[in-house]
Structures are given as structure tokens and as C-alpha cells.
Amino acid sequence: MEAQGWREVTDGACAFRTFEGGHFYLDEHRDSVVELLTAHARTVSEKLSVPWPSAP
């Protein structure tokens, strides 16, 4: 997978998730992608002790 090349340009954590579909996979998986990104943002904000907004 080409995206794994990003591991070479960071010394931070690097995780990958794949979704079925082509160029427009986001049309089918929008909710899952948003859920994944939101969960990651909350985790990072907790680790950094930065308050997470209660509403978008």
C-alpha cells in the first residue's frame, strides 16, 4: 500500500485504515470516516489535556 510510505517521513505514530471502494469511497463510508477521525481527535485532545468541544 502506497500510504505506508508516510511512516518514512514521520517519527510519530502512524496508523492506517482502509475502506472499500475507488476514488469516491468517501461517498459510501462518510459516517465511518467521520467517526474514526472524531475518535482520534478526542484521544489526542485527552492526551494533550486540551478540552474537546462539546458541539461542532
Side-chain angles (χ1 to χ4, degrees), residues 34-55:
V34 169
E35 185 178 311
L36 180 69
L37 293 174
T38 301
H40 181 69
R42 283 180 200 229
T43 299
V44 170
S45 73
E46 289 170 3
K47 285 181 181 178
L48 298 176
S49 299
V50 176
W52 178 257
S54 59

